[in-house]
Amino acid sequence: MSTVKDYQLWINGQFVPAVAGETFESVNPFTGEPVARVPRGKKADIDKAVAAARQAFDEGRWPRMSGEERSRILKDIGEKMDAASAQLLSVMIAESGSTVRKAKGEVWLSAKNMGYFAKLAAQSLEKPIEALSRPGVSKNVLRREPIGVCAQIIPWNFPLQMAIWKLGPALAAGNTVVLKPAEETPAMALELAQILADSELPPGVVNIVSGYGEEAGAALAAHPDVDKIAFTGSTEIGKKLMAEAAHDLKRVTLELGGKSANIIMDDADLSQAVDGALYAAFFHSGQCCTAGTRLFLQDGIYDEFLKRFTERAKHIHLGNPAEKSTDLGPLVSKKQQERVLQHIAAGKKEGATCLLGGQAPTAPELQDGYFVEPTIFVDVTNDMAIAREEIFGPVVSVLRFKTEAEAVKLANASQYGLAGAVWSQDSEKALRVAQQLRAGTVWINEYHLINEKAPFGGYKQSGLGRELGEDALDEYTEVKHIHIDEIGDRSKKFWYDAVSAPAPQPA
Ligand code: ADP
């Protein structure tokens, strides 16, 4: 029996149980056993957390301190995350089924990303508008100011990094936050709360409330004292939150689903491209919004590529995510495993041919885990559900194309536009294709690499707004123009004549 660790909500700098005293458990997806017991936050807990964040914003030091001061505190948080990496790693592996390699990368990058946002915090958010300012006429200043209380709702696939991508820019700009982690991975966020609690963040600047989406999440998004909703998750819930935000015009950023095209041209370096396509489709068992799930192969290399790709996919090692030799761990939950198997069944029914996988593995040592075998479909057309819908599992649809123009057309025939890639040794051609793809990130001869200095986000129904890079700060600030008059002389201000109310005569 594994031990179950108890956690509390983190509200106004205190660790507290839920108001109603209820809890729920998160489960190890490899063993099916509980790993953490966390409070089931509901509206009453959200009310407390939002009130704390509101007060910290309206009256507290955080939005008013200098950027340098905030930068110092955020840098220290990044360093504390690094120091706690062993603990963060073990919780991530146990609770989310992330493999050692994926979890190591995520913990390291999350701490590094926090360091990047710390640097951004030190930048001045105020600058003159040179084009407008004229001595003797006016001085003009552009100020970026924090928006206020930010509701941040995050998913389970990258449970630490998604928290940092949201907290980092929000805090750098001086906002306060209520964060709700996914119900599958609440312990990860509450471990982070321990680190934040040991930092110099004033009480109420960050509050973390575990709970279910339709309870805590919905109450948070609907709260009238929340100024902004930042969400990463399904397109379905993203649309709901945008509609919710419309009631009081909350600011919104949404990072939603994807069905990214990975295009392999005839002149690609095949050995590189095969590796890249395996990584694109199967990294983290396909539980990535950027996953390269539509693999477009040009006629000339179709057979050879597919042969090599399938052969390699057969040797992907499924196993205990805590063991270093494991390539793919289980999916995050039974619900997710069932969803993926349903998508696979629908693909078969639609007439696609399942070339590899297509089921939960039969090996006895994998029976307690929520595994799905790496699955390759061929004879897929772009109108089939398996080529249109986000599956979020290790399932790739292979499609054939003849010309560059056809590849671009098929790749863009999707409701999504998060990412994509093109593999070719002709750099001009590759760039030409990349420019035509309607997606927020496009890799050439590479996949999945996301850099903290570059904006990340989606076209079309993949989202709204950008995370990372300096663009992320824009998403967490309002822009203010301050006009400072230098004319002074009333007689030169002819525009005042539009209201020519005479001055009262002295009595
Ligand atoms: P998935 O189906 O993969 O779990 P979701 O989009 O449902 O993806 O979940 C992503 C995040 O959104 C989670 O933190 C979840 O709790 C939250 N969530 C789900 N439903 C709602 C909702 N109605 N309102 C607010 N948050 C929600």
Tab-separated table of all heavy atoms in Angstrom, residues 12-44:
chain	number	residue	atom	x	y	z
A	12	ASN	N	-4.724	33.120	1.553
A	12	ASN	CA	-4.265	34.264	2.355
A	12	ASN	C	-3.041	33.918	3.218
A	12	ASN	O	-2.953	34.327	4.377
A	12	ASN	CB	-5.416	34.773	3.230
A	12	ASN	CG	-5.262	36.265	3.518
A	12	ASN	OD1	-4.479	36.950	2.836
A	12	ASN	ND2	-5.958	36.758	4.514
A	13	GLY	N	-2.155	33.138	2.656
A	13	GLY	CA	-0.918	32.795	3.374
A	13	GLY	C	-1.082	31.711	4.424
A	13	GLY	O	-0.139	31.429	5.162
A	14	GLN	N	-2.251	31.093	4.493
A	14	GLN	CA	-2.496	30.050	5.501
A	14	GLN	C	-2.863	28.738	4.806
A	14	GLN	O	-3.554	28.757	3.786
A	14	GLN	CB	-3.712	30.423	6.376
A	14	GLN	CG	-3.656	31.780	7.027
A	14	GLN	CD	-2.733	31.788	8.224
A	14	GLN	OE1	-2.664	30.805	8.950
A	14	GLN	NE2	-1.992	32.867	8.394
A	15	PHE	N	-2.450	27.633	5.418
A	15	PHE	CA	-2.913	26.323	4.938
A	15	PHE	C	-4.172	25.959	5.711
A	15	PHE	O	-4.149	25.889	6.943
A	15	PHE	CB	-1.811	25.276	5.117
A	15	PHE	CG	-0.712	25.450	4.109
A	15	PHE	CD1	0.451	26.140	4.436
A	15	PHE	CD2	-0.875	24.978	2.808
A	15	PHE	CE1	1.449	26.334	3.483
A	15	PHE	CE2	0.126	25.171	1.853
A	15	PHE	CZ	1.284	25.853	2.188
A	16	VAL	N	-5.276	25.788	4.997
A	16	VAL	CA	-6.576	25.600	5.655
A	16	VAL	C	-7.369	24.471	4.984
A	16	VAL	O	-7.207	24.219	3.785
A	16	VAL	CB	-7.433	26.905	5.571
A	16	VAL	CG1	-6.807	28.012	6.397
A	16	VAL	CG2	-7.624	27.360	4.123
A	17	PRO	N	-8.250	23.811	5.751
A	17	PRO	CA	-9.136	22.820	5.121
A	17	PRO	C	-10.243	23.525	4.336
A	17	PRO	O	-10.419	24.749	4.477
A	17	PRO	CB	-9.719	22.059	6.314
A	17	PRO	CG	-9.611	23.006	7.465
A	17	PRO	CD	-8.457	23.934	7.195
A	18	ALA	N	-10.995	22.775	3.561
A	18	ALA	CA	-12.143	23.366	2.862
A	18	ALA	C	-13.204	23.750	3.895
A	18	ALA	O	-13.319	23.108	4.942
A	18	ALA	CB	-12.715	22.372	1.863
A	19	VAL	N	-13.974	24.784	3.597
A	19	VAL	CA	-15.007	25.262	4.520
A	19	VAL	C	-15.944	24.111	4.900
A	19	VAL	O	-16.277	23.906	6.072
A	19	VAL	CB	-15.801	26.430	3.890
A	19	VAL	CG1	-17.016	26.788	4.737
A	19	VAL	CG2	-14.901	27.649	3.700
A	20	ALA	N	-16.350	23.323	3.906
A	20	ALA	CA	-17.290	22.229	4.177
A	20	ALA	C	-16.575	20.985	4.729
A	20	ALA	O	-17.226	19.994	5.053
A	20	ALA	CB	-18.041	21.873	2.896
A	21	GLY	N	-15.246	21.028	4.798
A	21	GLY	CA	-14.477	19.913	5.371
A	21	GLY	C	-14.357	18.705	4.454
A	21	GLY	O	-13.848	17.665	4.865
A	22	GLU	N	-14.813	18.828	3.207
A	22	GLU	CA	-14.765	17.650	2.320
A	22	GLU	C	-13.395	17.511	1.648
A	22	GLU	O	-12.689	18.505	1.482
A	22	GLU	CB	-15.845	17.769	1.234
A	22	GLU	CG	-17.254	17.623	1.786
A	22	GLU	CD	-18.295	17.824	0.696
A	22	GLU	OE1	-18.172	17.203	-0.376
A	22	GLU	OE2	-19.222	18.617	0.918
A	23	THR	N	-13.098	16.287	1.255
A	23	THR	CA	-11.821	16.033	0.568
A	23	THR	C	-12.056	15.098	-0.629
A	23	THR	O	-13.127	14.511	-0.762
A	23	THR	CB	-10.810	15.329	1.512
A	23	THR	OG1	-11.388	14.103	1.956
A	23	THR	CG2	-10.436	16.192	2.696
A	24	PHE	N	-11.058	15.007	-1.482
A	24	PHE	CA	-11.048	13.958	-2.508
A	24	PHE	C	-9.610	13.489	-2.700
A	24	PHE	O	-8.677	14.125	-2.190
A	24	PHE	CB	-11.697	14.417	-3.827
A	24	PHE	CG	-10.945	15.498	-4.567
A	24	PHE	CD1	-10.144	15.185	-5.665
A	24	PHE	CD2	-11.054	16.827	-4.194
A	24	PHE	CE1	-9.466	16.185	-6.374
A	24	PHE	CE2	-10.374	17.838	-4.890
A	24	PHE	CZ	-9.583	17.511	-5.969
A	25	GLU	N	-9.464	12.379	-3.431
A	25	GLU	CA	-8.122	11.808	-3.567
A	25	GLU	C	-7.637	11.883	-5.009
A	25	GLU	O	-8.423	11.748	-5.941
A	25	GLU	CB	-8.151	10.335	-3.136
A	25	GLU	CG	-8.300	10.187	-1.632
A	25	GLU	CD	-8.500	8.738	-1.200
A	25	GLU	OE1	-9.000	7.928	-2.011
A	25	GLU	OE2	-8.146	8.430	-0.065
A	26	SER	N	-6.341	12.112	-5.151
A	26	SER	CA	-5.769	11.925	-6.486
A	26	SER	C	-5.073	10.563	-6.489
A	26	SER	O	-4.668	10.050	-5.448
A	26	SER	CB	-4.812	13.057	-6.858
A	26	SER	OG	-3.684	13.047	-6.033
A	27	VAL	N	-4.970	10.017	-7.692
A	27	VAL	CA	-4.637	8.600	-7.833
A	27	VAL	C	-3.376	8.429	-8.674
A	27	VAL	O	-3.148	9.176	-9.626
A	27	VAL	CB	-5.846	7.908	-8.526
A	27	VAL	CG1	-5.498	6.521	-9.022
A	27	VAL	CG2	-7.026	7.855	-7.571
A	28	ASN	N	-2.559	7.460	-8.317
A	28	ASN	CA	-1.403	7.103	-9.139
A	28	ASN	C	-1.906	6.325	-10.368
A	28	ASN	O	-2.454	5.231	-10.229
A	28	ASN	CB	-0.451	6.235	-8.310
A	28	ASN	CG	0.786	5.834	-9.092
A	28	ASN	OD1	0.736	5.634	-10.300
A	28	ASN	ND2	1.897	5.721	-8.393
A	29	PRO	N	-1.746	6.876	-11.573
A	29	PRO	CA	-2.329	6.219	-12.749
A	29	PRO	C	-1.620	4.928	-13.154
A	29	PRO	O	-2.108	4.211	-14.015
A	29	PRO	CB	-2.210	7.269	-13.852
A	29	PRO	CG	-1.237	8.263	-13.368
A	29	PRO	CD	-1.094	8.147	-11.893
A	30	PHE	N	-0.487	4.632	-12.516
A	30	PHE	CA	0.187	3.360	-12.813
A	30	PHE	C	-0.344	2.241	-11.926
A	30	PHE	O	-0.459	1.095	-12.341
A	30	PHE	CB	1.705	3.515	-12.630
A	30	PHE	CG	2.456	2.244	-12.896
A	30	PHE	CD1	2.440	1.647	-14.155
A	30	PHE	CD2	3.177	1.616	-11.879
A	30	PHE	CE1	3.123	0.464	-14.393
A	30	PHE	CE2	3.861	0.436	-12.117
A	30	PHE	CZ	3.834	-0.147	-13.378
A	31	THR	N	-0.716	2.604	-10.683
A	31	THR	CA	-1.167	1.564	-9.742
A	31	THR	C	-2.660	1.622	-9.474
A	31	THR	O	-3.242	0.676	-8.945
A	31	THR	CB	-0.454	1.735	-8.390
A	31	THR	OG1	-0.835	3.025	-7.856
A	31	THR	CG2	1.056	1.683	-8.521
A	32	GLY	N	-3.283	2.764	-9.770
A	32	GLY	CA	-4.701	2.949	-9.452
A	32	GLY	C	-4.926	3.255	-7.971
A	32	GLY	O	-6.065	3.355	-7.525
A	33	GLU	N	-3.836	3.401	-7.203
A	33	GLU	CA	-3.981	3.659	-5.763
A	33	GLU	C	-3.897	5.152	-5.467
A	33	GLU	O	-3.188	5.887	-6.152
A	33	GLU	CB	-2.868	2.937	-4.999
A	33	GLU	CG	-3.060	1.441	-5.011
A	33	GLU	CD	-2.025	0.731	-4.156
A	33	GLU	OE1	-1.197	1.395	-3.520
A	33	GLU	OE2	-2.082	-0.509	-4.157
A	34	PRO	N	-4.608	5.590	-4.397
A	34	PRO	CA	-4.554	7.017	-4.057
A	34	PRO	C	-3.154	7.435	-3.608
A	34	PRO	O	-2.457	6.666	-2.955
A	34	PRO	CB	-5.553	7.161	-2.911
A	34	PRO	CG	-5.816	5.795	-2.418
A	34	PRO	CD	-5.503	4.835	-3.523
A	35	VAL	N	-2.775	8.662	-3.979
A	35	VAL	CA	-1.473	9.188	-3.526
A	35	VAL	C	-1.636	10.416	-2.637
A	35	VAL	O	-0.783	10.709	-1.821
A	35	VAL	CB	-0.541	9.561	-4.707
A	35	VAL	CG1	0.017	8.342	-5.360
A	35	VAL	CG2	-1.228	10.448	-5.713
A	36	ALA	N	-2.738	11.148	-2.829
A	36	ALA	CA	-2.912	12.382	-2.056
A	36	ALA	C	-4.380	12.579	-1.721
A	36	ALA	O	-5.267	12.190	-2.491
A	36	ALA	CB	-2.392	13.569	-2.854
A	37	ARG	N	-4.611	13.149	-0.529
A	37	ARG	CA	-5.972	13.525	-0.143
A	37	ARG	C	-5.982	15.047	-0.029
A	37	ARG	O	-5.177	15.624	0.717
A	37	ARG	CB	-6.339	12.892	1.202
A	37	ARG	CG	-7.803	12.989	1.547
A	37	ARG	CD	-8.125	12.270	2.847
A	37	ARG	NE	-7.771	10.852	2.809
A	37	ARG	CZ	-6.777	10.286	3.515
A	37	ARG	NH1	-6.036	11.019	4.324
A	37	ARG	NH2	-6.520	8.998	3.433
A	38	VAL	N	-6.858	15.690	-0.783
A	38	VAL	CA	-6.842	17.168	-0.845
A	38	VAL	C	-8.238	17.714	-0.565
A	38	VAL	O	-9.238	17.027	-0.791
A	38	VAL	CB	-6.367	17.666	-2.235
A	38	VAL	CG1	-5.000	17.126	-2.585
A	38	VAL	CG2	-7.366	17.319	-3.322
A	39	PRO	N	-8.320	18.953	-0.106
A	39	PRO	CA	-9.632	19.545	0.140
A	39	PRO	C	-10.437	19.697	-1.153
A	39	PRO	O	-9.877	20.012	-2.209
A	39	PRO	CB	-9.306	20.921	0.718
A	39	PRO	CG	-7.913	20.796	1.234
A	39	PRO	CD	-7.227	19.839	0.319
A	40	ARG	N	-11.747	19.453	-1.032
A	40	ARG	CA	-12.628	19.658	-2.179
A	40	ARG	C	-13.198	21.078	-2.055
A	40	ARG	O	-14.238	21.313	-1.425
A	40	ARG	CB	-13.749	18.623	-2.137
A	40	ARG	CG	-14.747	18.759	-3.250
A	40	ARG	CD	-15.695	17.570	-3.229
A	40	ARG	NE	-16.835	17.777	-4.085
A	40	ARG	CZ	-17.799	16.887	-4.258
A	40	ARG	NH1	-17.738	15.719	-3.612
A	40	ARG	NH2	-18.814	17.136	-5.049
A	41	GLY	N	-12.443	22.022	-2.626
A	41	GLY	CA	-12.854	23.426	-2.542
A	41	GLY	C	-14.124	23.658	-3.340
A	41	GLY	O	-14.335	23.054	-4.392
A	42	LYS	N	-14.991	24.500	-2.788
A	42	LYS	CA	-16.236	24.858	-3.487
A	42	LYS	C	-16.388	26.377	-3.461
A	42	LYS	O	-15.431	27.089	-3.118
A	42	LYS	CB	-17.423	24.198	-2.798
A	42	LYS	CG	-17.401	22.681	-2.881
A	42	LYS	CD	-18.668	22.106	-2.294
A	42	LYS	CE	-18.585	20.590	-2.292
A	42	LYS	NZ	-19.753	19.985	-1.682
A	43	LYS	N	-17.600	26.845	-3.727
A	43	LYS	CA	-17.818	28.293	-3.842
A	43	LYS	C	-17.353	29.048	-2.589
A	43	LYS	O	-16.716	30.108	-2.686
A	43	LYS	CB	-19.295	28.573	-4.131
A	43	LYS	CG	-19.572	30.044	-4.349
A	43	LYS	CD	-20.990	30.325	-4.767
A	43	LYS	CE	-21.224	31.816	-4.969
A	43	LYS	NZ	-20.845	32.633	-3.822
A	44	ALA	N	-17.631	28.494	-1.401
A	44	ALA	CA	-17.270	29.211	-0.169
A	44	ALA	C	-15.750	29.388	-0.070
A	44	ALA	O	-15.271	30.431	0.408
A	44	ALA	CB	-17.781	28.424	1.044
